[in-house]
Amino acid sequence: MKEAILAQLRLLMRPHPGWYGLAAAVMLTTLGVMAISTVDGVLNVPAGVALAQGRRWLPIALIAMSAAALPRPRLIGRAAWPLLTFALLLLVYVVIPGAPRVPRINGTTAWIDLGVMNFQPSELGKVAFVLAMAWYLRYRESYRTLTGLLVPFAIMLIPVALILKEPDLGQAMVFAPTLFVMLVAAGARLRHIGSLLGIGLLAVALNVAVIYLDPPHARRGGAWDYAHVLAPHQERRVAAMIWPDRYAKRDAFQPLVAQRLIGAGGLIGVGKERARTLVRFNRLPEPHNDMIFAVIVNRWGLLGGGAVLGLYLVLLSSFFLVAARSKDPFARLVCVGFGGMIFAQAMINIGVAVGLVPTTGITLPLVSYGGSSLVATFTMIGLMLNFACRRPVLVSRPSFEFDHADPAYS
Amino acid sequence: MRRTLRYYIPSMFHRRLLLLLVSAAMVALAAVGQAARLATGEAHQRYRLAAEEALTIPHLLPTVRGRILDRRGRVLAEDGLAYDVAVHYSVISGRWAYEQALAAARRRYREQWSELAPDEREALVLREKEPYDQQAEMLWRLLADLGRVDRAEIEQRKSQISQRINTVSSYLWVHWQQQRQAQLNEPVPLAEVAQPIGEQNQAHSILLDVDDQVQSVVRRLIADAQRNAQRPVQEREIGLLVWEKVELLRSRRRRYPFQTVTLMLDRSTLPSAIRSPEPQEITVTQVATHVLGRMRDVWEEDVTGPNGRPFNVNRDLGGYLPGDRVGSFGIEHAMESVLRGLRGRAILHRDTGQEDRIEPRPGRDVQLSIDIQIQARIQAILQPEWGLTTVQEWHGNPDVPLGTPLYGAAVVLDVDSGQVLAMVSTPPYPEEDRIDAAVRDINHPLINRPVAAVYAPGSTLKPIVYCLAARERAIEVGQLFTCNGVFDPRHPHQWRCWGYRPERGLYHTHGSIGPAQAIATSCNIFFYHCGQRLGAQRLVRGLLDWGFGKPTGVELPEEISGLLPSLDGPNPPGYELTDSNAVNMGIGQGPIAVPPIQVAAAHAALARGGYWVSPTLLNSPMPTQSRHNLHLPPGAVEQALQGIYESANNPVYGTAHHLGGREPIMNAPGVVVRAKTGTAQAPVQFQDLNDNGRLDAEEPILRQGSHSWYVAHVAPTGHDRARYIICVLVEYGGSGGRVSGPIANQIIHALKAEGYL
């Protein structure tokens, strides 16, 4: 056993693109700790969160990462479905009204109180979902047909529905892009994906149109009532993007303050103390969490914001390179899925902060304060490192190659 | 392209990864682009300023409104420091008890709370509410005791506050709605703008201007409540909770120290019928209120109206904010800009703790030309209980029953300066709580009669008409006319002299009569001729020149112009520029009705020898008075002044000389009085039951008869030129000499008593 672990560690030490990803992740986390320290103890941010993130959660996350780097991929694959089942059970548990040790935080029952920490089952669910989906898709071709796409979507809907029940729209929102990325990588037909995306966009457009024509502040009633699908608070958040002035004191408050601070940051930012003061007196909600990007741009300016986005791209490309180098279909899809999931979450968060996406409570992975999220993300990175260091199986059927351009693959 | 791609990247999986990576880069680029849009150029500047604005807290520093002084420097109005006991609006509205009960219910049922249905929660809240309601009730009772007022009065005060806030909020909401609609260019429902207004988060005064003892009781209770609030929730004393919502508000209240004056007046100079050797103590209230004006809460028009003065922290610190007090009428209104002052501003930088201050600039004082003692004395003289303004036997007034109170106006003008020494209107301005009733009072106590009510000037106009006719050479300066009772034999009933009433057996005529005697005897025929010879055009033009029919420019916003036929416009029926109207206007009747200040100013011009100066109420700041020469022939002025001298001093035919029974009107020693009476036909005042504007058979007559005028030119003995003009008008008083004369006499005594004569 000891030998095996040592062998694996030696394998891990080999140079491979996973290291860029880890470096980017550590830099993002460091940037995050510095950004959190900017707002440590400001407004409703408890004092000492930066320290907790850097000294407690980061080591735990790194340990989780190391642990994830050890087991053989096959073992991980086998554990995928049981893990997802376990995550789903936990998700069912937190939505049971009155379940013990489930605190209600910000109106959401998304956590389980483990005594030492609050654990967020949806984070586990995200990891398990990607693993299970990759395990499911790895040898199939069914998703190359439109009907074959239904099963992956049906699988996705179970955790999404449970997370929506908590309710935690932000977490639920990252599942769909992740699945799309995985399906695209796995070789689903682009016209199918395009049609589905088109339907999705159409649904979004229809909802926006309904909100535009029958806005929450001037509901006409009657037949119009049937046109509304979104919850009233969600509609208000969309409306807040259309009419920011009108919702300035309510639903548009958070994005408007975030945009103000981003705008105030300018090219090189205002520095730590000034940023702290500005965040405090502009009353930026959730500055250590959902709105950390605004803090970053305010403190380090556009350069800081650009750096964050660049690091995410590095991280994503690292995941993709590992996938590209790997021959194991499971590892390939897992890496693509994790990369896509982290990137999608980051983009949704940043999109909210800069005012391109309606407000959703979602953290900036690696950067925002939060133990579960950090541990989950580093677990993903650990798995990616795990796959990166495996020697390619010499004789293996190339996976996800349905377009045989090179005779080598046919 | 696709082929090339396939050539270089044969693996489909790799191409898909590239596709995803490129898509990701584009998404990231969009995010960077949007961030760059916010953080560069003009947007960056705008956001930077907006973000930094949040670091500052501007405070406004209150200013002090200027004082109003009388001509001798006595303070008539000033901002005084007062303490009010104020209670937060949530307690007044009952919201506080509900919120407390809600918090208590949540504490008690913490475990189940999130699972309860709204109506179950409501039931639990109502169960908890009882003790808080009781606390609120105890607060009101204690305040009633402390303020020595009825519990019902407290309730009335509360409902007034609620009403005011409702009015203000609905007003504001509509305003916000309109603003928002204009901004968005689309309809906006009221519900969307119906946010709580500032007043709903403030304490409101329940007990006004409380004394030291009440202050100390309230202070102690508030301190106890604050200590109570420090304790853990379970240990708090419930009885003190409501006191957290009570404040002792330091407020500035406008005080009018001479609002009530008690005087000891000599009755020995009154007409013999009511004369007494014993002086009488008389208390007058609302002294000079018509002139000084009062304060009111700011209106929307003051802020956004056409002449509005909106508050702007950068441009106008004196601009109006909701809740400000503003002069409502009178001098308080007219001199608002002088009195108001500018607020100060302090900007606290929250990050550094520094404060930028602009100190408030106090309002400037306004000194009036009014002498408040004279004003008070005249008001006492005009008060019905003094006896001169109730219908008396000697008035010989057949139209009004004896003892009926009469109301009117008096103005005292300083001839040299045009300054108003006193301006009194009765009935006096109503007390604050009676204003609503006063609006419907047929005696119109809200109206400041000297400037805001019109009366036919009657015979007081005669010397002026004569001077005009002489100036225009319509008559000779010493012209004689023959008075045989009737002006035009073709219309024997239309234009007659006042003593010629054949139907009552009166055949008094004046025969051949010159101007001075005509004025002294107030012969109508002479002035009919003057009017006729002048013609309507010239007469009206001349009267305008004398300051009739247009505001005199006295500093009261209530001043009206009076009625005269227009020279250029079409005139309403009865106001045409016809010869018959000219004849009537010759004796101050017909289409002419003016406020008493115009009559006083015109007589002052006559007393100056034909130089018109606009009357003023101001001593400082320096008033801007208009003045012009009337270019009267000196001989005419002499004749006119001689006429009014004889009118007051000739015991045989002077109409302003005696009461009935030959008792002289004037009895003040050491003064020379010239005077002209007027008995002007007044419109019948009736209760217009069917609102048709006409008197119908079944409608009761409220007042009828004539308005009584008396204009006196007074000078100390030895002075030729009059020093003061006293103009007295009594509505429906009847004879000018008998009713207004004794009042003018008492005013002369008052001027003597105060050292003016």
Side-chain angles (χ1 to χ4, degrees):
Chain A
M1 180 71 183
K2 196 177 158 193
E3 281 303 311
I5 292 176
L6 283 174
Q8 172 64 8
L9 283 179
R10 269 198 299 279
L11 273 177
L12 273 173
M13 290 306 141
R14 288 189 310 131
H16 57 73
W19 293 114
Y20 308 126
L22 178 61
V26 171
M27 282 166 84
L28 280 170
T29 312
T30 313
L31 209 63
V33 171
M34 289 168 78
I36 294 167
S37 76
T38 315
V39 294
D40 204 339
V42 165
L43 301 172
N44 61 351
V45 181
V49 282
L51 221 61
Q53 179 88 342
R55 295 232 180 123
R56 190 188 332 157
W57 296 119
L58 186 58
I60 293 177
L62 289 174
I63 291 167
M65 179 187 79
S66 310
L70 296 177
R72 286 177 176 283
R74 208 167 173 72
L75 205 66
I76 297 165
R78 290 219 179 109
W81 282 109
L83 202 63
L84 183 62
T85 315
F86 177 62
L88 290 178
L89 285 175
L90 289 181
L91 284 173
V92 170
Y93 176 75
V94 292
V95 298
I96 295 171
R101 304 197 80 84
V102 176
R104 197 180 181 87
I105 300 172
N106 293 340
T108 307
T109 54
W111 289 268
I112 298 175
D113 184 1
L114 297 182
V116 287
M117 65 175 282
N118 278 348
F119 167 71
Q120 206 174 350
S122 53
E123 292 290 348
L124 177 65
K126 278 155 65 180
V127 176
F129 169 73
V130 173
L131 292 176
M133 192 51 66
W135 195 249
Y136 172 80
L137 293 174
R138 80 202 139 126
Y139 294 138
R140 277 171 216 271
E141 287 186 26
S142 57
Y143 51 83
R144 302 267 300 160
T145 64
L146 203 51
T147 46
L149 283 174
L150 286 178
V151 181
F153 274 94
I155 295 172
M156 180 193 79
L157 281 180
I158 303 167
V160 167
L162 287 169
I163 293 171
L164 280 178
K165 182 81 182 127
E166 286 177 358
D168 189 347
L169 179 68
Q171 289 280 33
M173 264 176 74
V174 299
F175 281 79
T178 307
L179 181 60
F180 270 104
V181 169
M182 289 174 81
L183 287 171
V184 169
R189 287 185 196 282
L190 285 181
R191 60 168 185 276
H192 293 162
I193 296 290
S195 318
L196 286 174
L197 267 179
I199 291 170
L201 285 177
L202 196 67
V204 169
L206 271 176
N207 271 304
V208 171
V210 164
I211 291 164
Y212 186 77
L213 294 172
D214 188 33
H217 51 264
R219 288 287 289 263
R220 302 176 202 179
W224 275 100
D225 284 345
Y226 298 100
H228 294 273
V229 185
L230 296 177
H233 72 275
Q234 293 165 346
E235 294 214 328
R236 280 203 309 276
R237 287 170 180 185
V238 177
M241 286 191 71
I242 307 175
W243 303 281
D245 288 344
R246 171 169 282 179
Y247 289 87
K249 288 207 170 130
R250 296 184 287 169
D251 299 84
F253 179 75
Q254 182 166 331
L256 283 182
V257 175
Q259 286 165 41
R260 194 190 302 154
L261 291 178
I262 288 171
L267 197 64
I268 54 164
V270 297
K272 180 173 179 180
E273 283 313 310
R274 191 69 176 160
R276 187 180 171 82
T277 312
L278 286 176
V279 167
R280 176 172 164 210
F281 291 111
N282 282 280
R283 311 197 66 77
L284 178 69
E286 304 290 332
H288 61 314
N289 225 320
D290 299 356
M291 286 295 150
I292 192 87
F293 186 74
V295 176
I296 289 172
V297 181
N298 192 248
R299 180 170 167 186
W300 290 290
L302 264 183
L303 292 179
V308 168
L309 279 157
L311 286 171
Y312 277 114
L313 278 176
V314 170
L315 184 63
L316 179 70
S317 51
S318 154
F319 272 98
F320 281 11
L321 277 174
V322 171
R325 280 164 56 105
S326 174
K327 294 279 187 274
D328 175 6
F330 172 65
R332 280 187 155 186
L333 283 190
V334 168
C335 285
V336 169
F338 283 159
M341 185 172 256
I342 294 171
F343 192 79
Q345 187 172 339
M347 286 307 113
I348 294 173
N349 175 288
I350 292 171
V352 171
V354 298
L356 291 176
V357 178
T359 313
T360 46
I362 191 167
T363 56
L364 190 59
L366 299 169
V367 180
S368 287
Y369 176 75
S372 297
S373 167
L374 198 67
V375 170
T377 315
F378 270 99
T379 306
M380 294 179 194
I381 292 165
L383 289 168
M384 179 261 282
L385 292 174
N386 188 343
F387 301 140
C389 65
R390 303 290 164 187
R391 283 200 185 83
V393 184
L394 287 175
V395 185
S396 67
R397 195 174 76 91
S399 49
F400 315 124
E401 301 295 349
F402 306 104
D403 188 4
H404 311 296
D406 186 340
Y409 292 102
S410 51
Chain B
M1 164 88 181
R2 199 174 166 200
R3 181 169 295 180
T4 326
L5 205 61
R6 284 171 66 166
Y7 176 77
Y8 283 107
I9 309 174
S11 160
M12 172 175 157
F13 180 68
H14 289 179
R15 287 201 305 279
R16 286 286 171 99
L17 288 184
L18 189 65
L19 170 71
L20 287 170
L21 200 61
V22 169
S23 312
M26 279 162 61
V27 172
L29 212 62
V32 170
Q34 170 72 358
R37 203 178 64 84
L38 297 173
T40 53
E42 193 224 346
H44 164 59
Q45 294 302 334
R46 205 177 61 235
Y47 284 121
R48 191 176 59 79
L49 289 177
E52 277 168 7
E53 203 178 279
L55 303 187
T56 58
I57 306 180
H59 287 281
L60 296 177
L61 309 170
T63 176
V64 181
R65 193 175 173 84
R67 298 176 301 170
I68 303 177
L69 311 171
D70 87 340
R71 68 184 296 131
R72 293 193 164 167
R74 287 171 288 216
V75 177
L76 306 184
E78 65 181 336
D79 269 10
L81 204 57
Y83 280 96
D84 296 351
V85 180
V87 180
H88 198 272
Y89 183 69
S90 62
V91 183
I92 295 172
S93 67
R95 186 84 210 157
W96 172 82
Y98 181 85
E99 280 163 4
Q100 292 291 319
L102 178 67
R106 289 185 78 134
R107 274 198 302 277
R108 192 182 299 250
Y109 306 100
R110 187 179 309 165
E111 303 302 318
Q112 306 99 300
W113 193 256
S114 58
E115 292 149 27
L116 293 174
D119 49 343
E120 290 169 335
R121 291 181 182 177
E122 194 65 26
L124 291 178
V125 171
L126 290 181
R127 206 184 296 162
E128 297 283 332
K129 195 161 167 270
E130 180 68 27
Y132 298 103
D133 281 336
Q134 280 174 2
Q135 289 313 313
E137 180 54 33
M138 277 171 69
L139 169 74
W140 301 129
R141 288 209 185 136
L142 182 58
L143 289 185
D145 282 354
L146 286 173
R148 286 184 279 283
V149 291
D150 220 9
R151 172 71 182 83
E153 216 165 297
I154 297 272
E155 207 52 38
Q156 197 185 345
R157 181 90 193 112
K158 277 167 62 189
S159 74
Q160 269 175 4
I161 292 167
S162 297
Q163 250 172 20
R164 186 161 66 85
I165 288 177
N166 288 341
T167 318
V168 172
S169 57
S170 57
Y171 202 57
L172 273 177
W173 291 341
V174 170
H175 174 63
W176 288 340
Q177 185 188 28
Q178 287 165 349
Q179 248 184 355
R180 183 67 65 78
Q181 275 169 351
Q183 233 172 43
L184 300 172
N185 211 7
E186 61 175 85
V188 171
L190 197 59
E192 193 195 317
V193 293
Q195 311 260 357
I197 60 167
E199 276 83 350
Q200 281 164 301
N201 280 320
Q202 282 171 3
H204 295 267
S205 301
I206 295 282
L207 296 180
L208 306 180
D209 204 357
V210 292
D211 59 26
D212 294 349
Q213 207 182 342
V214 175
Q215 281 173 36
S216 74
V217 172
V218 172
R219 267 204 193 96
R220 210 181 53 234
L221 281 162
I222 293 173
D224 287 350
Q226 280 164 353
R227 271 197 297 280
N228 191 42
Q230 306 289 324
R231 297 190 197 123
V233 178
Q234 298 79 6
E235 293 168 28
R236 282 183 205 162
E237 210 178 306
I238 188 170
L240 280 171
L241 287 178
V242 73
W243 282 89
E244 289 171 29
K245 295 285 175 187
V246 181
E247 287 173 32
L248 212 48
L249 272 191
R250 218 173 100 131
S251 66
R252 292 208 164 267
R253 208 158 286 284
R254 199 71 171 158
R255 294 183 201 282
Y256 300 92
F258 282 88
Q259 185 170 333
T260 302
V261 178
T262 301
L263 298 157
M264 188 63 90
L265 295 184
D266 178 17
R267 291 189 70 90
S268 67
T269 54
L270 286 171
S272 54
I274 56 169
R275 187 177 297 164
S276 152
E278 295 299 318
Q280 184 184 346
E281 189 181 81
I282 191 161
T283 298
V284 280
T285 59
Q286 300 288 343
V287 176
T289 302
H290 281 117
V291 174
L292 293 176
R294 281 290 178 265
M295 305 295 289
R296 61 166 167 79
D297 285 325
V298 77
W299 289 337
E300 186 65 28
E301 291 85 44
D302 302 313
V303 185
T304 55
N307 300 317
R309 187 177 172 189
F311 173 80
N312 181 305
V313 81
N314 298 317
R315 281 203 299 277
D316 187 5
L317 285 166
Y320 296 108
L321 282 171
D324 275 5
R325 300 282 286 171
V326 49
S328 172
F329 61 94
I331 289 294
E332 292 274 26
H333 179 77
M335 303 305 288
E336 174 73 14
S337 58
V338 176
L339 291 165
R340 182 163 175 73
L342 293 180
R343 283 187 193 81
R345 187 194 70 180
I347 295 181
L348 176 69
H349 294 271
R350 298 160 83 180
D351 46 340
T352 57
Q354 277 180 337
E355 198 177 52
D356 293 342
R357 275 176 86 91
I358 296 175
E359 292 302 327
R361 198 173 331 142
R364 280 180 290 150
D365 289 350
V366 168
Q367 187 172 35
L368 300 185
S369 58
I370 295 277
D371 181 308
I372 196 66
Q373 282 294 343
I374 299 278
Q375 178 86 11
R377 277 173 181 271
I378 297 177
Q379 189 170 326
I381 292 163
L382 285 175
Q383 212 146 285
E385 62 187 281
W386 182 244
L388 293 177
T389 50
T390 47
V391 178
Q392 302 282 1
E393 200 99 44
W394 83 76
H395 288 175
N397 186 345
D399 298 310
V400 189
L402 285 179
T404 307
L406 297 168
Y407 300 110
V411 177
V412 180
L413 266 189
D414 182 300
V415 171
D416 286 340
S417 63
Q419 285 184 330
V420 178
L421 204 60
M423 179 187 280
V424 181
S425 178
T426 58
Y429 197 82
E431 303 288 337
E432 194 80 19
D433 54 346
R434 298 187 52 88
I435 288 179
D436 288 344
V439 174
R440 291 180 298 275
D441 189 337
I442 57 154
N443 295 314
H444 306 300
L446 294 172
I447 290 179
N448 187 15
R449 286 168 165 74
V451 294
V454 294
Y455 310 93
S459 305
T460 61
L461 198 67
K462 285 174 179 170
I464 288 146
V465 170
Y466 158 71
C467 288
L468 271 177
R471 183 183 84 175
E472 300 292 323
R473 301 186 192 285
I475 59 167
E476 298 295 323
V477 168
Q479 179 98 31
L480 295 177
F481 286 110
T482 304
C483 165
N484 48 22
V486 177
F487 171 65
D488 184 350
R490 288 168 300 175
H491 304 285
H493 299 289
Q494 195 175 358
W495 291 300
R496 301 184 296 193
C497 202
W498 55 267
Y500 187 79
R501 295 284 184 275
E503 68 276 11
R504 283 196 257 153
L506 296 172
Y507 295 94
H508 185 80
T509 59
H510 296 106
S512 176
I513 191 166
Q517 207 187 352
I519 291 169
T521 59
S522 207
C523 171
N524 286 351
I525 304 301
F526 187 95
F527 299 99
Y528 285 143
H529 280 293
C530 292
Q532 186 194 37
R533 293 208 179 177
L534 273 166
Q537 285 274 356
R538 270 201 296 176
L539 181 53
V540 169
R541 194 172 293 119
L543 288 173
L544 284 169
D545 204 19
W546 277 82
F548 289 102
K550 60 184 182 190
T552 59
V554 74
E555 292 80 5
L556 292 176
E558 297 79 31
E559 191 187 15
I560 56 173
S561 49
L563 302 168
L564 262 190
S566 163
L567 282 173
D568 23 58
N571 281 302
Y575 277 78
E576 300 89 348
L577 291 167
T578 56
D579 283 348
S580 66
N581 273 341
V583 173
N584 276 328
M585 284 160 77
I587 61 160
Q589 299 280 0
I592 177 169
V594 294
I597 187 81
Q598 289 181 10
V599 174
H603 272 266
L606 179 62
R608 287 182 207 108
Y611 195 75
W612 192 88
V613 176
S614 64
T616 178
L617 278 160
L618 289 187
N619 227 348
S620 88
M622 189 75 153
T624 46
Q625 288 171 279
S626 72
R627 43 191 82 212
H628 60 267
N629 196 334
L630 296 167
H631 302 292
L632 303 181
V637 174
E638 211 172 288
Q639 289 281 346
L641 290 176
Q642 177 64 26
I644 58 176
Y645 177 81
E646 283 182 28
S647 164
N649 294 283
N650 189 315
V652 180
Y653 54 76
T655 50
H657 175 265
H658 47 262
L659 304 169
R662 298 283 142 198
E663 182 180 341
I665 293 171
M666 292 295 153
N667 55 19
V671 292
V672 183
V673 179
R674 297 182 179 87
K676 184 72 199 86
T677 59
T679 307
Q681 283 169 21
V684 175
Q685 202 181 5
F686 58 95
Q687 204 172 351
D688 195 3
L689 294 173
N690 54 10
D691 276 329
N692 67 351
R694 286 195 311 272
L695 174 61
D696 296 314
E698 72 282 6
E699 287 173 337
I701 289 176
L702 301 172
R703 296 281 163 85
Q704 62 178 336
S706 307
H707 295 322
S708 156
W709 287 95
Y710 196 94
V711 184
H713 300 216
V714 198
T717 313
H719 285 74
D720 188 38
R721 183 167 149 154
R723 191 175 282 175
Y724 300 108
I725 300 292
I726 299 166
C727 175
V728 179
L729 167 101
V730 178
E731 286 180 2
Y732 300 97
S735 158
R738 296 174 186 204
V739 182
S740 297
I743 295 171
N745 179 43
Q746 288 302 310
I747 293 175
I748 292 171
H749 281 286
L751 287 170
K752 279 178 74 72
E754 294 297 329
Y756 286 91
L757 285 169

